[in-house]
Amino acid sequence: MNQFQYARPAKQKAAIDLLVKDQNAMFIAGGTNLIDLMKRGVMTPEKLVDINRLPLKGIEKVQGGVRVGALALNSAVAEDKVILEKFPLLSLALKSGASAQLRNMATVGGNMMQRTRCYYFYDTALPCNKREPGTGCGALEGFNRMHAIFGFSDKCIAVHPSDMSVALVTLDATVLVTGPKGERQIPFIDFHRLPGDHPEVDTNLARNELILAVDIPESPFTKNVEYLKVRERASYAFALVSVAAALDIDHNTIRDARLAMGGVAHKPWRLSEAEKALVGKPVSETTFEQAAEIAMRGAKAFEHNAYKLKLAPNSIVQALKTAAGIA
Ligand code: SF4
């Protein structure tokens, strides 16, 4: 691992100033992804600005919803009474992510900022436009079993690995950030980027900005929800495909619906057209199959991930059935 400097400021402004002053500095919180990347030489910050002293751990009810601090631990959020009562989908997604030990270290902000698990990205001997722009994409013609079926480009076909982010995009959350230009809110659906010509840029967070919190608005999705994660090991693995499903059901009719997938794109993949197709329909397997068919329009597979074209719609139907209680 490269040598680096370490700072542990107690004030928000001091933390941001350290990043402004040193273009090779990075924030660190739980470090569950960044330390791995540094050990492998994938990321080489010259200074780590540890933000764990900042007061950003709270989970509190606010007008119109709940505010979750950027440093709240994944395990604390998953077991929080208010989250369990009002946003059980988020709790399910968090509990399906990583291991208990990692959830005890990983923070909400860090979870959002984790980087792809594409094998080529982690192996510094292989080409990767995300790690080293302009070197090519090893996965495009290589082993692409884990890779995207939506929203990819000819520069990068990686997928975003966070389960929590799939739930937060489903719940219409927003991200509160601050930086040298002040505070701003980013809709969660716009927080992560598609790769386009710049796969090295994962998010729309500016270089010197700090994530403060995630705001989740009140919603009717407190009961009929499911987070289905299909993976190769039940104990601990990233999603091949995951589905976040939330239904508001009134006497067997779907009054409102939210649906998103993970493991299929460079960002959490919200399925707005399929959501629209569910509204006003009866709860039935046929309704869910029609929504899944709509959700999959535009999907395209590579040599080793064609199985996702079948796994994804099947997972959508299964998640909706479980959410509706007809599984
Ligand atoms: Fe790198 Fe993206 Fe290609 Fe993976 S898919 S090798 S992360 S450019």
Side-chain angles (χ1 to χ4, degrees), residues 14 32 117 178 212 282 298:
T32 55
R117 264 51 179 197
T178 189
L212 297 177

Side-chain angles (χ1 to χ4, degrees), residues 2-319:
N2 283 7
Q3 289 201 340
F4 57 89
Q5 294 179 329
Y6 177 78
R8 203 159 178 259
K11 296 267 192 292
Q12 204 170 285
K13 184 175 178 313
I16 293 167
D17 284 350
L18 284 166
L19 237 70
V20 171
K21 267 189 222 138
D22 187 343
Q23 286 304 297
N24 289 315
M26 288 188 73
F27 291 134
I28 186 166
T32 55
N33 187 207
L34 180 56
I35 297 296
D36 281 350
L37 290 162
M38 289 171 66
K39 283 182 186 166
R40 291 170 181 239
V42 177
M43 295 179 78
T44 53
E46 289 170 9
K47 180 181 278 182
L48 290 183
V49 180
D50 184 337
I51 56 173
N52 283 300
R53 289 173 76 193
L54 306 184
L56 300 173
K57 271 196 159 71
I59 305 168
E60 49 182 352
K61 278 188 183 175
V62 292
Q63 201 180 0
V66 168
R67 171 163 288 183
V68 181
L71 291 177
L73 297 177
N74 286 190
S75 51
V77 180
E79 295 298 344
D80 183 81
K81 215 168 135 238
V82 177
I83 298 295
L84 284 166
E85 181 197 333
K86 294 189 174 293
F87 309 108
L89 179 65
L90 176 57
S91 181
L92 289 173
L94 280 164
K95 286 175 185 169
S96 79
S99 63
Q101 291 89 341
L102 285 165
R103 291 195 294 272
N104 280 334
M105 284 301 291
T107 63
V108 165
N111 191 323
M112 293 157 59
M113 295 300 289
Q114 66 178 299
R115 308 210 66 191
T116 184
R117 264 51 179 197
C118 173
Y119 342 100
Y120 298 86
F121 177 67
Y122 278 77
D123 189 336
T124 54
L126 298 175
C128 172
N129 285 324
K130 186 180 280 297
R131 176 172 26 81
E132 209 178 333
T135 55
C137 170
L140 206 51
E141 302 293 330
F143 190 55
N144 42 40
R145 179 173 158 72
M146 294 286 292
H147 291 72
I149 54 172
F150 291 107
F152 49 80
S153 73
D154 62 352
K155 302 281 190 299
C156 178
I157 61 170
V159 296
H160 184 65
S162 163
D163 293 297
M164 180 197 76
S165 296
V166 181
L168 288 172
V169 89
T170 308
L171 293 167
D172 291 317
T174 55
V175 188
L176 176 65
V177 306
T178 189
K181 293 181 185 161
E183 288 188 6
R184 67 181 179 120
Q185 294 268 5
I186 307 174
F188 209 95
I189 198 163
D190 297 328
F191 186 81
H192 297 96
R193 294 178 70 256
L194 290 180
D197 287 336
H198 290 284
E200 72 279 12
V201 188
D202 290 342
T203 73
N204 286 314
L205 188 73
R207 143 92 203 144
N208 299 324
E209 282 182 321
L210 172 71
I211 302 170
L212 297 177
V214 173
D215 290 325
I216 316 172
E218 295 268 8
S219 80
F221 307 111
T222 54
K223 191 166 143 234
N224 293 109
V225 299
E226 169 67 347
Y227 188 78
L228 175 64
K229 179 173 179 177
V230 184
R231 50 186 155 176
E232 284 174 326
R233 289 177 300 167
S235 58
Y236 168 40
F238 294 95
L240 299 171
V241 166
S242 67
V243 179
L247 298 170
D248 179 17
I249 298 170
D250 181 28
H251 294 97
N252 212 45
T253 298
I254 300 166
R255 197 157 39 188
D256 204 355
R258 296 284 183 278
L259 202 57
M261 273 196 285
V264 296
H266 199 260
K267 60 187 285 184
W269 197 248
R270 181 87 178 252
L271 302 165
S272 305
E273 292 305 312
E275 289 172 3
K276 284 184 212 153
L278 287 165
V279 175
K281 299 278 171 43
V283 169
S284 73
E285 187 151 355
T286 306
T287 297
F288 298 154
E289 283 170 356
Q290 286 166 352
E293 187 270 319
I294 292 168
M296 292 304 293
R297 287 179 189 165
K300 182 180 169 299
F302 294 88
E303 187 179 352
H304 303 286
N305 68 350
Y307 70 95
K308 290 194 182 186
L309 298 181
K310 184 133 184 150
L311 181 61
N314 286 350
S315 301
I316 291 171
V317 173
Q318 185 57 49

